[in-house]
Amino acid sequence: AVVSALVDKVRLDMDQYESTGDRQVLDHLLFQLELLQRHLLVAETDRDILQMLSHAVSAVNRMIDESLNVFPEVNACCVYTNNRGRPKLDVRKDQLMHLLSLKFTCPDIAMLLGVSLRTVR
């Protein structure tokens, strides 16, 4: 009965995430899947079912990781020059233009890329 209720909750969370894309729903889905996994381990469930559930948990973890990286294409590339001091950071012009088109300010862009304000200007 507990497993059946957890499966129903997982289905509801999946439907809600598909319709809203809400990250909190994804977190709750992960919680429900892990709880279901624990119950099935105790119940000595078939190994194939546990493996499928483990893959589902991994997939939801990847989705959460991807949702945390809002701008995956925006970063400063580190260029090693074999000189002393910090490595050179290369910020592409198209990245800057993209962020400016999204109405980011120069200080915001500097913070997002992890570079100085002078580098952005």
Side-chain angles (χ1 to χ4, degrees), residues 25-42:
V25 174
L26 206 53
D27 288 334
H28 192 260
L29 174 61
L30 180 62
F31 172 75
Q32 296 295 340
L33 284 171
E34 289 172 340
L35 196 58
L36 180 59
Q37 195 173 32
R38 278 188 232 117
H39 279 285
L40 291 177
L41 278 170
V42 170

Side-chain angles (χ1 to χ4, degrees), residues 24-91:
Q24 288 180 336
V25 174
L26 206 53
D27 288 334
H28 192 260
L29 174 61
L30 180 62
F31 172 75
Q32 296 295 340
L33 284 171
E34 289 172 340
L35 196 58
L36 180 59
Q37 195 173 32
R38 278 188 232 117
H39 279 285
L40 291 177
L41 278 170
V42 170
E44 297 181 5
T45 304
D46 181 36
R47 188 178 184 93
D48 290 338
I49 293 173
L50 290 172
Q51 189 173 9
M52 287 189 313
L53 191 54
S54 178
H55 288 302
V57 168
S58 296
V60 172
N61 272 317
R62 279 192 304 276
M63 292 168 66
I64 289 172
D65 289 344
E66 290 170 5
S67 74
L68 293 174
N69 194 1
V70 179
F71 297 107
E73 72 281 354
V74 178
N75 59 12
C77 182
C78 198
V79 179
Y80 294 95
T81 60
N82 291 329
N83 294 330
R84 290 184 183 179
R86 288 191 214 170
K88 177 183 171 190
L89 293 175
D90 184 35
V91 180

Side-chain angles (χ1 to χ4, degrees), residues 88-107:
K88 177 183 171 190
L89 293 175
D90 184 35
V91 180
R92 294 189 336 255
K93 185 175 182 176
D94 63 318
Q95 288 178 326
L96 292 175
M97 300 309 292
H98 176 68
L99 292 171
L100 289 170
S101 72
L102 294 172
K103 306 295 185 216
F104 279 89
T105 64
C106 287

